[in-house]
Amino acid sequence: MDSLRIYVKGGTGGMGHPRLGGEGGRGGDVWLVAQEKTTLKRIKDQCPHKRFVAGVGAPSSVRALKGEKGRDCEVVVPPGISVLSCDGEKIGELNKAGDRILVARGGLGGCLVTNFLPLKGQIQTVHLDFKLIADVGLVGFPNAGKSSLLSKISHAKPQIADYPFTTVKPELGKIMYPDYKQISVADLPGLIEGAHANRGMGHKFLKHIERTKQLLFVVDVSGFRLSSKTRFRTAFETILLLTQELELYKEELRTKPALLAVNKMDLPNAQNSLNELMKQLQNPQDSLHLVEKEMLPQSTIDFKDIIPVSAHTGEGIEELKTCIRKSLDEEAEKEKEEYQKEKLRILQTSEV
Protein backbone atom coordinates (compact mmCIF):
# COMPACT_ATOMS: atom_id res chain seq x y z
CA MET A 1 0.00 0.00 0.00
CA ASP A 2 1.25 3.49 -0.81
CA SER A 3 -1.02 5.69 1.31
CA LEU A 4 -2.52 5.65 4.79
CA ARG A 5 -4.72 8.02 6.78
CA ILE A 6 -4.15 8.20 10.55
CA TYR A 7 -5.69 10.06 13.50
CA VAL A 8 -3.25 11.89 15.77
CA LYS A 9 -3.92 13.68 19.05
CA GLY A 10 -1.55 15.62 21.25
CA GLY A 11 -1.84 14.96 24.98
CA THR A 12 -3.94 17.20 27.22
CA GLY A 13 -1.95 19.42 29.58
CA GLY A 14 -1.79 18.72 33.32
CA MET A 15 -3.94 20.58 35.87
CA GLY A 16 -2.36 23.67 37.45
CA HIS A 17 -2.28 24.44 41.17
CA PRO A 18 -4.00 27.83 41.62
CA ARG A 19 -3.32 28.20 45.37
CA LEU A 20 0.43 27.69 44.95
CA GLY A 21 0.71 29.11 41.42
CA GLY A 22 1.95 25.75 40.12
CA GLU A 23 1.91 24.92 36.40
CA GLY A 24 0.71 21.62 35.00
CA GLY A 25 2.96 19.75 32.58
CA ARG A 26 2.45 20.20 28.88
CA GLY A 27 0.76 17.34 27.03
CA GLY A 28 2.94 15.01 24.97
CA ASP A 29 3.47 15.54 21.22
CA VAL A 30 2.88 13.14 18.34
CA TRP A 31 5.83 12.73 15.97
CA LEU A 32 6.30 10.85 12.73
CA VAL A 33 9.77 9.28 12.61
CA ALA A 34 11.26 7.74 9.45
CA GLN A 35 12.87 4.35 9.96
CA GLU A 36 14.14 1.71 7.56
CA LYS A 37 12.53 -1.73 7.30
CA THR A 38 9.00 -0.61 8.03
CA THR A 39 5.97 -0.18 5.75
CA LEU A 40 2.62 1.58 5.79
CA LYS A 41 0.98 -1.84 5.77
CA ARG A 42 2.83 -2.79 8.97
CA ILE A 43 1.52 0.38 10.66
CA LYS A 44 -2.01 -0.54 9.65
CA ASP A 45 -1.62 -4.17 10.76
CA GLN A 46 -0.11 -3.25 14.14
CA CYS A 47 -2.57 -0.40 14.81
CA PRO A 48 -5.81 -1.27 12.96
CA HIS A 49 -7.64 1.68 14.56
CA LYS A 50 -4.93 4.01 13.19
CA ARG A 51 -5.20 6.25 16.27
CA PHE A 52 -2.09 7.69 17.89
CA VAL A 53 -2.50 9.68 21.11
CA ALA A 54 0.28 11.25 23.21
CA GLY A 55 0.38 11.18 27.00
CA VAL A 56 -1.33 13.63 29.39
CA GLY A 57 0.85 16.18 31.20
CA ALA A 58 1.36 15.63 34.95
CA PRO A 59 -0.62 17.93 37.30
CA SER A 60 1.08 20.48 39.50
CA SER A 61 1.37 19.35 43.13
CA VAL A 62 2.92 20.36 46.41
CA ARG A 63 5.83 18.01 45.73
CA ALA A 64 6.32 19.20 42.12
CA LEU A 65 4.89 22.64 41.35
CA LYS A 66 5.92 22.23 37.70
CA GLY A 67 4.24 19.11 36.36
CA GLU A 68 6.19 16.85 34.00
CA LYS A 69 5.49 16.85 30.29
CA GLY A 70 3.30 14.04 28.97
CA ARG A 71 4.86 11.12 27.10
CA ASP A 72 5.48 11.79 23.41
CA CYS A 73 4.02 9.36 20.87
CA GLU A 74 6.34 8.39 18.00
CA VAL A 75 4.83 6.80 14.91
CA VAL A 76 7.46 4.91 12.91
CA VAL A 77 7.01 5.30 9.14
CA PRO A 78 9.12 4.31 6.12
CA PRO A 79 11.40 6.90 4.48
CA GLY A 80 9.98 8.59 1.39
CA ILE A 81 6.73 9.80 2.93
CA SER A 82 4.87 13.01 2.15
CA VAL A 83 2.65 14.14 5.03
CA LEU A 84 -0.56 16.02 4.19
CA SER A 85 -3.28 17.51 6.35
CA CYS A 86 -6.92 16.49 5.85
CA ASP A 87 -7.28 19.69 3.76
CA GLY A 88 -4.56 18.52 1.41
CA GLU A 89 -1.97 21.00 2.69
CA LYS A 90 1.57 19.67 2.79
CA ILE A 91 2.93 19.38 6.33
CA GLY A 92 6.34 18.06 5.28
CA GLU A 93 8.35 15.12 3.97
CA LEU A 94 10.36 12.32 5.55
CA ASN A 95 13.03 11.51 2.99
CA LYS A 96 15.57 9.51 4.98
CA ALA A 97 15.85 7.43 8.15
CA GLY A 98 15.91 9.64 11.24
CA ASP A 99 13.82 12.46 9.76
CA ARG A 100 11.05 13.65 12.13
CA ILE A 101 7.88 15.71 11.73
CA LEU A 102 5.66 17.04 14.52
CA VAL A 103 2.03 16.36 13.57
CA ALA A 104 0.15 17.05 16.85
CA ARG A 105 1.38 19.35 19.59
CA GLY A 106 0.41 18.71 23.20
CA GLY A 107 -1.83 21.14 25.07
CA LEU A 108 -0.56 23.67 27.59
CA GLY A 109 -0.58 22.72 31.23
CA GLY A 110 -2.78 24.72 33.58
CA CYS A 111 -1.12 28.07 34.44
CA LEU A 112 -1.96 31.66 35.21
CA VAL A 113 -2.72 32.41 31.54
CA THR A 114 -5.26 29.54 31.35
CA ASN A 115 -6.70 30.18 34.80
CA PHE A 116 -4.78 27.04 35.85
CA LEU A 117 -6.99 24.87 33.64
CA PRO A 118 -5.24 22.53 31.19
CA LEU A 119 -5.69 22.85 27.42
CA LYS A 120 -6.41 19.98 25.07
CA GLY A 121 -3.78 18.84 22.57
CA GLN A 122 -3.95 19.35 18.82
CA ILE A 123 -6.12 16.85 16.96
CA GLN A 124 -5.97 16.14 13.24
CA THR A 125 -6.17 13.45 10.61
CA VAL A 126 -3.05 13.24 8.48
CA HIS A 127 -2.49 11.51 5.18
CA LEU A 128 0.75 9.57 4.71
CA ASP A 129 1.63 9.36 1.05
CA PHE A 130 4.49 7.08 0.02
CA LYS A 131 6.40 8.23 -3.01
CA LEU A 132 9.23 6.16 -4.37
CA ILE A 133 12.70 7.66 -4.08
CA ALA A 134 15.07 6.64 -6.88
CA ASP A 135 17.74 8.20 -9.03
CA VAL A 136 16.03 7.16 -12.26
CA GLY A 137 12.39 6.40 -13.04
CA LEU A 138 11.45 4.28 -16.06
CA VAL A 139 8.60 5.85 -18.03
CA GLY A 140 6.75 3.91 -20.70
CA PHE A 141 3.46 2.44 -21.80
CA PRO A 142 2.68 -1.19 -20.89
CA ASN A 143 4.78 -3.80 -22.69
CA ALA A 144 7.52 -1.35 -23.70
CA GLY A 145 9.96 -3.76 -22.07
CA LYS A 146 10.68 -1.75 -18.90
CA SER A 147 10.72 -4.79 -16.61
CA SER A 148 13.04 -6.70 -18.95
CA LEU A 149 15.30 -3.67 -19.22
CA LEU A 150 15.44 -3.25 -15.43
CA SER A 151 16.45 -6.88 -15.01
CA LYS A 152 19.25 -6.38 -17.57
CA ILE A 153 20.78 -3.23 -16.10
CA SER A 154 20.33 -4.12 -12.42
CA HIS A 155 19.94 -6.98 -9.97
CA ALA A 156 16.15 -6.61 -9.79
CA LYS A 157 13.93 -9.55 -10.69
CA PRO A 158 10.61 -8.01 -11.74
CA GLN A 159 7.70 -10.01 -13.14
CA ILE A 160 8.08 -10.25 -16.92
CA ALA A 161 5.55 -11.42 -19.51
CA ASP A 162 4.61 -10.72 -23.12
CA TYR A 163 1.33 -8.99 -22.31
CA PRO A 164 0.62 -5.50 -20.95
CA PHE A 165 0.21 -4.49 -17.29
CA THR A 166 2.73 -6.94 -15.86
CA THR A 167 4.06 -4.31 -13.44
CA VAL A 168 1.35 -3.60 -10.89
CA LYS A 169 3.59 -2.28 -8.14
CA PRO A 170 6.88 -0.36 -8.25
CA GLU A 171 10.04 -2.43 -8.65
CA LEU A 172 13.41 -1.11 -7.52
CA GLY A 173 16.78 -2.16 -8.85
CA LYS A 174 20.35 -0.94 -8.45
CA ILE A 175 22.89 -0.52 -11.23
CA MET A 176 26.30 -1.58 -9.91
CA TYR A 177 29.44 -0.06 -11.43
CA PRO A 178 33.03 -1.41 -11.27
CA ASP A 179 34.07 1.41 -8.91
CA TYR A 180 31.23 0.40 -6.52
CA LYS A 181 29.03 3.36 -7.48
CA GLN A 182 25.34 2.43 -7.21
CA ILE A 183 22.40 4.06 -8.99
CA SER A 184 18.82 3.18 -8.07
CA VAL A 185 16.28 2.66 -10.84
CA ALA A 186 12.51 2.39 -10.40
CA ASP A 187 10.26 0.50 -12.80
CA LEU A 188 6.83 1.99 -12.21
CA PRO A 189 3.37 0.67 -13.15
CA GLY A 190 2.79 1.22 -16.89
CA LEU A 191 1.05 4.37 -18.00
CA ILE A 192 -1.97 4.39 -20.27
CA GLU A 193 -3.50 7.24 -22.21
CA GLY A 194 -5.53 9.35 -19.81
CA ALA A 195 -3.33 8.62 -16.78
CA HIS A 196 -3.25 12.32 -15.89
CA ALA A 197 -7.02 12.09 -15.36
CA ASN A 198 -6.43 9.06 -13.09
CA ARG A 199 -7.34 6.40 -15.65
CA GLY A 200 -5.80 3.00 -14.98
CA MET A 201 -3.11 3.40 -12.30
CA GLY A 202 -2.73 7.03 -13.41
CA HIS A 203 -2.10 9.11 -10.33
CA LYS A 204 -0.43 6.23 -8.47
CA PHE A 205 2.20 6.07 -11.23
CA LEU A 206 2.63 9.80 -11.66
CA LYS A 207 3.07 10.63 -7.99
CA HIS A 208 5.87 8.03 -7.74
CA ILE A 209 7.70 9.55 -10.70
CA GLU A 210 7.77 12.94 -8.93
CA ARG A 211 10.36 11.60 -6.50
CA THR A 212 12.93 10.46 -9.06
CA LYS A 213 15.89 12.62 -10.06
CA GLN A 214 15.75 11.78 -13.77
CA LEU A 215 13.50 10.00 -16.24
CA LEU A 216 14.34 7.18 -18.62
CA PHE A 217 11.72 6.92 -21.34
CA VAL A 218 11.42 3.39 -22.73
CA VAL A 219 9.62 2.89 -26.05
CA ASP A 220 9.13 -0.06 -28.37
CA VAL A 221 10.93 0.80 -31.63
CA SER A 222 8.12 -0.82 -33.64
CA GLY A 223 5.34 1.11 -31.89
CA PHE A 224 2.65 0.23 -29.38
CA ARG A 225 -0.94 -0.95 -29.28
CA LEU A 226 -2.61 -1.63 -25.94
CA SER A 227 -5.42 -3.81 -27.30
CA SER A 228 -7.43 -4.54 -30.45
CA LYS A 229 -9.84 -1.77 -29.43
CA THR A 230 -7.15 0.94 -29.29
CA ARG A 231 -5.18 2.65 -32.03
CA PHE A 232 -1.67 1.65 -32.99
CA ARG A 233 0.90 4.30 -31.99
CA THR A 234 4.29 4.70 -33.64
CA ALA A 235 7.36 5.14 -31.44
CA PHE A 236 7.28 8.90 -32.14
CA GLU A 237 3.58 9.14 -31.21
CA THR A 238 4.30 7.11 -28.06
CA ILE A 239 6.93 9.63 -26.95
CA LEU A 240 4.53 12.53 -27.58
CA LEU A 241 1.77 10.82 -25.58
CA LEU A 242 4.08 10.03 -22.67
CA THR A 243 5.26 13.64 -22.63
CA GLN A 244 1.67 14.88 -22.69
CA GLU A 245 0.62 12.62 -19.80
CA LEU A 246 3.46 13.90 -17.61
CA GLU A 247 2.77 17.50 -18.62
CA LEU A 248 -0.96 17.37 -17.92
CA TYR A 249 -0.44 15.82 -14.48
CA LYS A 250 2.29 18.23 -13.38
CA GLU A 251 4.17 20.50 -15.75
CA GLU A 252 7.42 20.31 -13.74
CA LEU A 253 7.76 16.61 -14.64
CA ARG A 254 8.46 17.63 -18.23
CA THR A 255 11.47 19.66 -17.10
CA LYS A 256 13.22 16.72 -15.42
CA PRO A 257 16.41 15.57 -17.18
CA ALA A 258 15.46 12.69 -19.46
CA LEU A 259 17.08 9.93 -21.50
CA LEU A 260 15.41 7.77 -24.15
CA ALA A 261 15.93 4.02 -24.52
CA VAL A 262 14.57 2.72 -27.84
CA ASN A 263 13.94 -0.91 -26.98
CA LYS A 264 13.43 -4.17 -28.92
CA MET A 265 16.15 -3.49 -31.49
CA ASP A 266 16.31 -7.26 -32.07
CA LEU A 267 12.96 -7.20 -33.93
CA PRO A 268 12.77 -7.36 -37.76
CA ASN A 269 13.06 -3.94 -39.50
CA ALA A 270 14.05 -2.35 -36.19
CA GLN A 271 16.90 -0.36 -37.77
CA ASN A 272 14.59 1.20 -40.37
CA SER A 273 12.11 2.13 -37.65
CA LEU A 274 14.93 3.63 -35.56
CA ASN A 275 16.19 5.71 -38.50
CA GLU A 276 12.70 7.10 -39.03
CA LEU A 277 12.30 7.88 -35.33
CA MET A 278 15.67 9.67 -35.18
CA LYS A 279 14.66 11.90 -38.10
CA GLN A 280 11.40 12.76 -36.35
CA LEU A 281 13.14 13.52 -33.04
CA GLN A 282 15.81 15.68 -34.67
CA ASN A 283 13.15 17.85 -36.34
CA PRO A 284 9.91 17.16 -34.44
CA GLN A 285 8.13 20.21 -35.90
CA ASP A 286 8.33 18.63 -39.36
CA SER A 287 6.33 15.60 -38.17
CA LEU A 288 3.82 17.11 -35.76
CA HIS A 289 1.31 17.82 -38.55
CA LEU A 290 0.96 14.04 -39.02
CA VAL A 291 -0.19 13.59 -35.40
CA GLU A 292 -3.67 14.17 -33.96
CA LYS A 293 -3.92 17.59 -32.33
CA GLU A 294 -5.22 16.07 -29.06
CA MET A 295 -1.99 14.07 -28.68
CA LEU A 296 0.37 17.04 -28.86
CA PRO A 297 2.14 18.21 -25.70
CA GLN A 298 2.83 21.91 -25.21
CA SER A 299 6.49 21.25 -25.97
CA THR A 300 8.61 18.23 -26.78
CA ILE A 301 11.31 16.80 -24.50
CA ASP A 302 14.94 17.36 -25.43
CA PHE A 303 16.52 14.03 -24.51
CA LYS A 304 20.08 14.18 -23.17
CA ASP A 305 20.88 10.89 -24.90
CA ILE A 306 19.02 8.46 -27.16
CA ILE A 307 20.22 4.87 -26.83
CA PRO A 308 19.01 1.95 -29.00
CA VAL A 309 18.84 -1.20 -26.87
CA SER A 310 17.57 -4.74 -26.79
CA ALA A 311 16.67 -6.08 -23.36
CA HIS A 312 16.42 -9.49 -25.06
CA THR A 313 19.94 -9.69 -26.58
CA GLY A 314 21.74 -7.18 -24.35
CA GLU A 315 22.55 -4.82 -27.22
CA GLY A 316 23.25 -1.28 -26.00
CA ILE A 317 22.88 -2.13 -22.29
CA GLU A 318 26.41 -1.11 -21.29
CA GLU A 319 26.12 2.13 -23.24
CA LEU A 320 22.80 2.84 -21.51
CA LYS A 321 24.35 2.30 -18.06
CA THR A 322 27.20 4.66 -18.97
CA CYS A 323 24.77 7.35 -20.21
CA ILE A 324 22.65 7.09 -17.04
CA ARG A 325 25.69 7.65 -14.84
CA LYS A 326 27.05 10.46 -17.01
CA SER A 327 23.71 12.27 -16.94
CA LEU A 328 23.36 11.99 -13.16
CA ASP A 329 26.96 13.12 -12.61
CA GLU A 330 26.42 16.17 -14.85
CA GLU A 331 23.29 17.19 -12.97
CA ALA A 332 25.02 16.70 -9.61
CA GLU A 333 27.87 18.95 -10.78
CA LYS A 334 25.36 21.61 -11.88
CA GLU A 335 23.66 21.51 -8.48
CA LYS A 336 27.05 21.81 -6.77
CA GLU A 337 27.95 24.87 -8.86
CA GLU A 338 24.59 26.52 -8.17
CA TYR A 339 25.01 25.85 -4.45
CA GLN A 340 28.47 27.43 -4.44
CA LYS A 341 27.17 30.48 -6.33
CA GLU A 342 24.31 30.87 -3.84
CA LYS A 343 26.71 30.63 -0.89
CA LEU A 344 28.93 33.29 -2.48
CA ARG A 345 25.93 35.56 -3.11
CA ILE A 346 24.80 35.26 0.52
CA LEU A 347 28.35 35.97 1.74
CA GLN A 348 28.64 39.06 -0.48
CA THR A 349 25.23 40.32 0.67
CA SER A 350 26.15 39.93 4.34
CA GLU A 351 29.38 41.93 3.86
CA VAL A 352 27.59 44.94 2.36
Side-chain angles (χ1 to χ4, degrees), residues 120-135:
K120 291 183 177 179
Q122 183 184 6
I123 298 173
Q124 67 172 333
T125 300
V126 295
H127 192 79
L128 309 181
D129 201 1
F130 178 67
K131 296 182 181 181
L132 212 60
I133 296 176
D135 296 312

Side-chain angles (χ1 to χ4, degrees), residues 36 58 70 106 109 111 143 172 174 193 209 212 239 246-247 259 266-267 281 318 325 342:
E36 297 287 1
C111 59
N143 220 31
L172 271 175
K174 283 193 182 293
E193 293 180 45
I209 208 77
T212 59
I239 293 167
L246 297 183
E247 180 182 86
L259 306 173
D266 54 289
L267 296 177
L281 290 173
E318 289 306 312
R325 179 166 183 176
E342 182 63 17

Side-chain angles (χ1 to χ4, degrees), residues 252-276:
E252 306 93 86
L253 291 180
R254 196 190 64 224
T255 63
K256 278 183 180 285
L259 306 173
L260 172 63
V262 184
N263 196 18
K264 305 191 181 181
M265 287 301 297
D266 54 289
L267 296 177
N269 300 316
Q271 192 58 49
N272 292 336
S273 299
L274 176 66
N275 294 340
E276 179 65 23

